[in-house]
Amino acid sequence: MATYRIRSLAALFVAAGALAGCGRSAGPAEPRLFGAGAERAGAETFSGKLPCRDCEGYRLTLTLFPEGTFRMRRSALGDAPDPGATRLDLGRWEVEPKGSDRLLIHGATVDLVWFRIVDPNHLRMLATGGFEPTDGEPVTLEREATVDPIGDRMRLKGMLVYRADAAVLTECSTAEPLPIFPGAAFPDAERAYLGAAAAPETPVFAEVEARFEDRAPEPGVPPREGIVVDSVVSVDPNGSCGTAKR
């Protein structure tokens, strides 16, 4: 799937806001809030409530990163069938068609989900294919004042490589290389890799339970995002992202 990358989410949302306003009477300029004060190089977080026929509903939190990736959390509210349960996902986002106000996300555990960029502060969930919903109340996500990186522990699948004392997992759904920081399960991941790799520095398909963190690789170096592995689920020298099952 082709991905529409941009240097700044601010540019995307301001441009989409202008598209959404085409044909309307002139009014106050849309506030250029995107990117202002964001802790993560222009990342933006939106959240809203998903309806539930027989329960209070679910809280959906979506964080978009400017390199074209996203992370998402769905949390049950109140008397939902699975109270307190949380579902997590990550993947890639794009504007489709390019230059439009349609935002498409494709995750590791969910199929395509469409949103319309209503204005710089709101995303509206659309029906399959990117069409406006024809029944029920529209689900709108509102931009949060602060970025939620959604670093929760989640299951990740990707190609694992060890070089010297450094390890990197290239996650399947985002195609992003994630450095693995030292942690309790770091030795387990190293042993699993060395036991499965056919040759040094050969990528091996791995499935791990991990969480996202920002750490400085060494003193005086700016922090960067990576993962801390809590447990190794499996390694497969014959596996690949292309053959991985969701």
Side-chain angles (χ1 to χ4, degrees):
M1 178 176 63
T3 301
Y4 182 66
R5 294 192 177 202
I6 56 172
R7 297 179 63 88
S8 168
L9 281 176
L12 168 66
F13 285 96
V14 170
L19 282 174
C22 289
R24 299 177 186 172
S25 59
E30 194 69 58
R32 299 176 66 93
L33 297 178
F34 277 72
E39 298 92 335
R40 288 176 170 261
E44 303 293 351
T45 296
F46 298 83
S47 69
K49 185 176 178 181
L50 297 178
C52 174
R53 181 175 298 176
D54 301 313
C55 68
E56 186 176 339
Y58 300 87
R59 171 64 57 180
L60 184 69
T61 302
L62 172 67
T63 296
L64 304 173
F65 298 92
E67 70 272 14
T69 67
F70 78 88
R71 293 202 284 269
M72 185 166 62
R73 179 196 301 116
R74 194 196 80 168
S75 304
L77 301 173
D79 58 351
D82 49 352
T86 299
R87 295 184 181 181
L88 301 162
D89 199 13
L90 76 169
R92 301 204 68 84
W93 64 265
E94 63 178 326
V95 172
E96 182 60 37
K98 292 183 179 180
S100 73
D101 62 352
R102 260 46 176 183
L103 184 76
L104 173 64
I105 68 172
H106 188 184
T109 62
V110 299
D111 290 324
L112 305 179
V113 179
W114 294 83
F115 294 89
R116 182 165 72 86
I117 305 170
V118 178
D119 58 42
N121 294 316
H122 300 90
L123 301 177
R124 180 170 295 162
M125 189 174 289
L126 301 176
T128 302
F131 299 102
E132 293 291 342
T134 57
D135 57 351
E137 289 293 324
V139 174
T140 299
L141 306 185
E142 184 173 356
R143 176 182 174 268
E144 296 291 340
T146 58
V147 174
D148 181 348
I150 310 183
D152 314 40
R153 174 173 170 169
M154 63 180 75
R155 183 162 295 193
L156 302 176
K157 299 177 182 180
M159 303 306 296
L160 175 65
V161 173
Y162 267 79
R163 294 184 176 93
D165 293 328
V168 174
L169 181 77
T170 300
E171 200 278 324
C172 289
S173 61
T174 62
E176 291 292 316
L178 302 170
I180 300 177
F181 297 135
F186 189 92
D188 296 336
E190 183 178 19
R191 283 192 295 270
Y193 171 81
L194 294 175
E201 301 186 10
T202 301
V204 171
F205 180 76
E207 190 171 353
V208 300
E209 294 282 346
R211 49 201 158 80
F212 290 84
E213 286 190 8
D214 284 346
R215 291 189 187 180
E218 56 186 79
V221 177
R224 63 174 299 185
E225 186 176 68
I227 58 173
V228 177
V229 174
D230 291 324
S231 66
V232 178
V233 178
S234 65
V235 293
D236 181 1
N238 299 314
S240 70
C241 288
T243 60
K245 294 181 178 179
R246 290 186 177 183

